[in-house]
Amino acid sequence: MTFESLRLSRSGQVATLTFTHPKGAFGPATWREVPQALSELGEAHALIVRGERAFSVGLDLGATAPVIAPALGDPAKFAAVVAGMHAAIEGLAALPIPVIAAIDGWCIGAGLELAAACDLRLCSTEARFSLPEVKLGITADLGGLQRLPELIGKGRAAHLALTGDPIDAATAERWGLVTEVHPDAGALYARADALAAGLAALPPKAVEGTKRILADGLPHAQSLAAAVEWNARHMTVEALKLSAVSPQRSAPESKS
């Protein structure tokens, strides 16, 4: 399938979703095409999300304003407009495979909310993050206010959302928004490829179960029971035997 706002490519069991908007922005086509692209993942066992230039500078306001303007003042109409955006981001979050956001350059507004819906976030030293909606007279409504407190804590999420001020890559790593910072875009994308390949090689049901338990946010006892039930349904003797002989499972050598 050919897309207007993005490109979907595959290498082995790893798929890469690249946003191709010339300004690095998300317009109406983006929200329409992300769910279509996700439906084309097929047998992919991991997904990388990235930008062709900047990861995302947020909404393409010029293209989006004419769509939103007629719905202002009418909560039902406005919800219907935003539902397409929610479908794209929530669809990404709901995938049973691990999703890696590889972030170079700006990651602003809707871009940050989309990145927050991914499982892992890596960035380059050139990455910058902000949630500036409050400066535009908007309350962020694409999941950032719900997911960021879980990722970086309520206080830091409030700092991002209430000030609208950007943070750099080092701050994002210190806050826990990203788990790795790489020296440039080339190193970032190479690491994302390698990480995705490693994740894709893991037993799919174990990865899916881990994602589900982490995302469900159940109370402790219920979460334990859910993990046990998942293993009872999906654990196999063959996988256990394989893990017993895999060199990846061997203990690291002592450095003493």
Side-chain angles (χ1 to χ4, degrees):
M1 183 179 294
T2 301
F3 300 102
E4 174 186 344
S5 67
L6 53 85
R7 181 174 63 255
L8 182 65
S9 58
R10 294 184 183 82
S11 177
Q13 292 181 314
V14 175
T16 300
L17 183 67
T18 303
F19 296 112
T20 59
H21 191 291
K23 296 180 181 178
F26 292 163
T30 306
W31 308 117
R32 181 176 67 252
E33 292 178 345
V34 166
Q36 294 172 358
L38 298 184
S39 72
E40 297 289 320
L41 290 178
E43 297 302 313
H45 287 184
L47 175 65
I48 299 168
V49 179
R50 52 166 288 184
E52 193 160 64
R53 298 165 185 82
F55 182 81
S56 173
V57 299
L59 289 180
D60 180 344
L61 294 177
T64 303
V67 178
I68 291 178
L72 295 178
D74 187 324
K77 288 183 179 179
F78 190 81
V81 171
V82 177
M85 303 178 189
H86 286 174
I89 293 179
E90 298 304 319
L92 192 68
L95 288 175
I97 62 176
V99 182
I100 301 167
I103 302 162
D104 181 51
W106 280 106
C107 181
I108 301 176
L112 179 53
E113 295 187 278
L114 184 143
C118 298
D119 300 300
L120 300 172
R121 284 156 297 281
L122 319 179
C123 75
S124 73
T125 55
E126 297 301 312
R128 298 292 183 271
F129 304 83
S130 76
L131 197 66
E133 278 83 347
V134 68
K135 293 183 176 181
L136 303 174
I138 302 169
T139 297
D141 59 4
L142 301 183
L145 299 182
Q146 290 69 40
R147 291 190 170 94
L148 287 170
E150 294 293 323
L151 295 173
I152 62 177
K154 187 173 181 179
R156 286 168 172 165
H159 181 94
L160 276 176
L162 290 174
T163 68
D165 293 340
I167 60 172
D168 61 15
T171 302
E173 184 180 32
R174 188 171 72 251
W175 285 11
L177 181 58
V178 301
T179 53
E180 296 178 9
V181 178
H182 296 277
D184 53 42
L188 165 67
Y189 297 138
R191 169 57 176 155
D193 288 342
L195 179 58
L199 292 171
L202 295 172
K205 283 297 182 181
V207 173
E208 181 182 356
T210 300
K211 278 197 59 166
R212 287 178 182 273
I213 300 304
L214 285 170
D216 284 346
L218 296 172
H220 183 78
Q222 293 179 40
S223 184
L224 282 176
V228 169
E229 181 179 356
W230 184 272
N231 279 337
R233 293 181 182 278
H234 300 292
M235 186 185 295
T236 66
V237 173
E238 291 76 17
L240 289 174
K241 289 179 178 178
L242 181 63
S243 66
V245 300
S246 170
Q248 293 181 352
R249 301 298 192 274
S250 61
E253 294 182 4
S254 172
K255 297 186 181 299
S256 60

